[in-house]
């Protein structure tokens, strides 16, 4: 059966390649579409997928980006209709076509979004898209030096080491020296908000070990790095008093970016049993988490975009101000000093590693 499929597709490709060699790209494109619709109507999805992939690749290699992208989008339709499972081969095909598209091709981002939505549909446990697909997109954007997009997709993957190496390059090429701790802090907190503790730990370890601007640690000379190090340890025990005191002791460092408090509020709810805040009229901080992490927490996310905090966008875009130019505002939080919350009520238990590091007993 497979050989029969291959022979049929090979005959069509031979005719199309003859058109391409003659410079008749439009005719070749229409021929691919005509045969695709015939296969699709007959529910010959294997033949259709093979034809579209090979045809799209040929057109993209000849810099016929719109025609190649059109066939690439049709390929995703076939994968969705046929309920094609997420496999390494399929992911390689999808991302190979994406890599061949010109970065300025208008169909490129709709293609990316459609690919992620296909992976969500096939693997419903991955509500934000398959992490392996995100990782592949992250690598491509990294190679293109599109760091904000690379960072977004790495955050939705499980490749903590790759993310760390990308962030290191991002910071050393486009960041300020004073932001060395901000780049990794934001990534770790966002990983934790996505309940990806293991990847967050790997990312932090690789970044702090390999970055030339960070002294050997832990402990580190930069307070914010010590905070993240201790936070990752505290997750092992899940003790609310430890989390509370940790946030109190590092309040000054946390205040460097107003988004951190919103991330930590979410982390407190997920890992330490902090109750959700009471419903109050929504204000600037009441909706901040939704604005910052909106697509990451929505099952209906279809735009493939993860808003960035300024600390990781330095120099990347004129529309993305550096942390140095932002107004750092403070927001009251139940686990920070000045709160009347009962979250700081101690519990009697054997001191954890975090408690010892903070001199708690």
């Amino acid at each position: 059966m497979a050989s029969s499929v291959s022979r049929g597709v090979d005959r069509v490709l031979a005719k199309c390649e003859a058109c391409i060699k003659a410079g008749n790209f439009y005719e070749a494109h229409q021929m691919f579409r005509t045969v695709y619709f015939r296969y699709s109507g007959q529910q010959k999805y294997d033949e259709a997928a093979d034809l579209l992939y090979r045809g799209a690749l040929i057109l993209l290699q000849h810099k016929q980006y719109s025609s190649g992208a059109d066939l690439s989008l049709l390929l995703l339709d076939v994968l969705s209709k046929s309920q094609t499972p997420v496999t390494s081969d399929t992911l390689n095909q999808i991302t190979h076509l994406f890599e061949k598209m010109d970065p300025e091709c208008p169909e490129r981002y709709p293609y990316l979004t459609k690919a992620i939505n296909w992976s969500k549909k096939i693997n419903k446990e991955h509500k934000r898209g398959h992490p392996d697909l995100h990782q592949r997109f992250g690598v491509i954007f990294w190679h293109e030096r599109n760091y904000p997009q690379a960072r977004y997709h790495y955050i939705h993957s499980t490749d903590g080491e790759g993310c760390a190496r990308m962030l290191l390059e991002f910071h050393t090429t486009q960041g300020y020296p004073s932001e060395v701790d901000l780049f990794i802090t934001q990534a770790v907190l966002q990983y934790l908000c996505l309940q990806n503790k293991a990847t967050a730990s790997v990312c932090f370890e690789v970044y702090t070990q390999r970055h030339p601007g960070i002294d050997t640690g832990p402990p580190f000379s930069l307070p914010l790095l010590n905070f993240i190090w201790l936070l990752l340890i505290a997750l092992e025990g899940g003790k609310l008093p430890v989390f509370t005191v940790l946030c109190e002791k590092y309040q000054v460092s946390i205040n460097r970016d107003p988004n951190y408090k919103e991330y930590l509020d979410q982390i407190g709810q997920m890992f330490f049993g902090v109750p959700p805040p009471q419903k109050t009229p929504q204000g600037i901080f009441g909706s901040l988490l939704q604005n910052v992490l909106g697509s990451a927490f929505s099952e209906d996310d279809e735009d493939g975009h993860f808003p960035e905090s300024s600390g990781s966008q330095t120099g990347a875009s004129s529309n993305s101000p550096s942390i140095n130019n932002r107004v750092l505002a403070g927001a009251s939080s139940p686990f920070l000093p000045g709160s009347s919350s009962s979250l700081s009520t101690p519990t009697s238990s054997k001191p954890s590693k975090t408690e010892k590091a903070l001199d708690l007993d």
Side-chain angles (χ1 to χ4, degrees):
M1 176 65 181
S3 60
S4 174
V5 171
S6 179
R7 285 196 299 270
V9 172
D10 286 342
R11 285 195 295 269
V12 176
L13 285 172
K15 294 180 181 179
C16 292
E17 286 178 347
C19 291
I20 291 173
K21 287 180 180 179
N24 298 325
F25 297 112
Y26 176 79
E27 183 179 347
H29 179 213
Q30 293 305 310
M31 192 180 300
F32 279 124
R33 287 180 61 90
T34 299
V35 178
Y36 152 69
F37 283 116
R38 184 186 306 162
Y39 280 152
S40 182
Q42 299 171 352
Q43 295 187 347
K44 295 181 178 180
Y45 295 125
D46 289 341
E47 293 95 327
D50 190 21
L51 173 75
L52 290 170
Y53 172 70
R54 295 165 69 179
L57 192 57
I58 290 172
L59 289 171
L60 291 172
Q61 288 171 340
H62 285 81
K63 301 188 185 303
Q64 301 300 303
Y65 297 119
S66 292
S67 297
D70 176 63
L71 297 186
S72 300
L73 287 165
L74 291 177
L75 171 61
L76 293 175
D77 286 338
V78 171
L79 297 180
S80 182
K81 289 177 185 177
S82 61
Q83 294 288 300
T84 301
V86 177
T87 64
S88 180
D89 288 341
T90 306
L91 294 181
N92 287 337
Q93 286 188 349
I94 290 172
T95 51
H96 187 50
L97 292 177
F98 181 79
E99 188 175 21
K100 292 296 182 181
M101 295 178 192
D102 187 278
E104 302 302 322
C105 176
E107 294 87 0
R108 199 181 196 222
Y109 280 93
Y111 173 80
L112 179 151
T113 300
K114 199 168 188 176
I116 291 174
N117 288 337
W118 160 75
S119 73
K120 286 162 44 174
K121 177 182 177 182
I122 299 301
N123 292 85
K124 298 186 185 300
E125 68 271 24
H126 300 301
K127 297 179 180 180
R128 304 174 188 90
H130 199 286
D132 291 346
L133 181 59
H134 278 295
Q135 190 271 344
R136 285 168 168 79
F137 282 134
V139 170
I140 294 171
F141 281 121
W142 180 12
H143 291 165
E144 295 174 355
R145 300 299 183 263
N146 187 339
Y147 296 110
Q149 280 294 326
R151 186 187 179 288
Y152 167 78
H153 290 286
Y154 268 115
I155 292 295
H156 288 79
S157 77
T158 55
D159 185 4
E161 180 177 354
C163 183
R165 292 189 291 110
M166 182 276 299
L167 288 174
L168 194 157
E169 183 179 298
F170 188 10
H171 175 257
T172 55
T173 58
Q174 298 191 18
Y176 294 111
S178 61
E179 295 175 335
V180 61
D181 50 349
L182 301 183
F183 274 66
I184 187 60
T185 294
Q186 186 198 13
V188 169
L189 294 179
Q190 287 183 342
Y191 270 129
L192 295 179
C193 285
L194 296 174
Q195 296 183 296
N196 198 344
K197 181 172 64 173
T199 306
S201 298
V202 171
C203 187
F204 179 75
E205 181 179 355
V206 173
Y207 183 89
T208 53
Q209 286 181 352
R210 298 189 181 184
H211 200 296
I214 296 178
D215 297 333
T216 303
F220 304 95
S221 59
L222 297 171
L224 196 56
L225 295 181
N226 284 325
F227 170 72
I228 294 297
W229 167 53
L230 293 171
L231 175 63
L232 291 171
I233 296 175
L235 294 174
E236 299 174 5
K239 294 182 179 179
L240 183 54
V242 174
F243 178 64
T244 303
V245 174
L246 184 60
C247 292
E248 289 175 349
K249 283 184 173 291
Y250 286 94
Q251 183 183 14
V252 173
S253 296
I254 293 169
N255 285 342
R256 290 179 64 191
D257 189 326
N259 293 330
Y260 292 168
K261 292 183 179 181
E262 300 300 326
Y263 294 142
L264 290 168
D265 183 58
Q266 188 73 26
I267 292 167
Q269 294 175 44
M270 289 178 173
F271 296 99
F272 297 96
V274 175
Q278 295 182 350
K279 292 184 178 180
T280 57
Q282 204 173 47
I284 183 172
F285 290 105
S287 61
L288 182 58
L289 183 64
Q290 181 179 355
N291 293 335
V292 175
L293 287 175
S295 63
F297 290 108
S298 171
E299 295 184 17
D300 299 324
D301 171 30
E302 296 185 355
D303 61 1
H305 178 67
F306 196 121
E308 299 293 341
S309 176
S310 57
S312 67
Q313 293 245 32
T314 307
S317 170
S318 59
N319 295 325
S320 304
S322 165
I323 188 72
N324 304 60
N325 299 324
R326 294 178 54 176
V327 178
L328 300 182
S332 61
S333 180
F335 51 80
L336 292 174
S339 170
S340 59
S341 170
S342 62
L343 299 186
S344 59
T345 304
T347 58
S348 59
S349 61
K350 184 178 180 180
S352 67
K353 288 188 288 185
T354 314
E355 290 171 321
K356 292 178 180 178
L358 291 170
D359 294 327
L360 299 175
D361 50 38

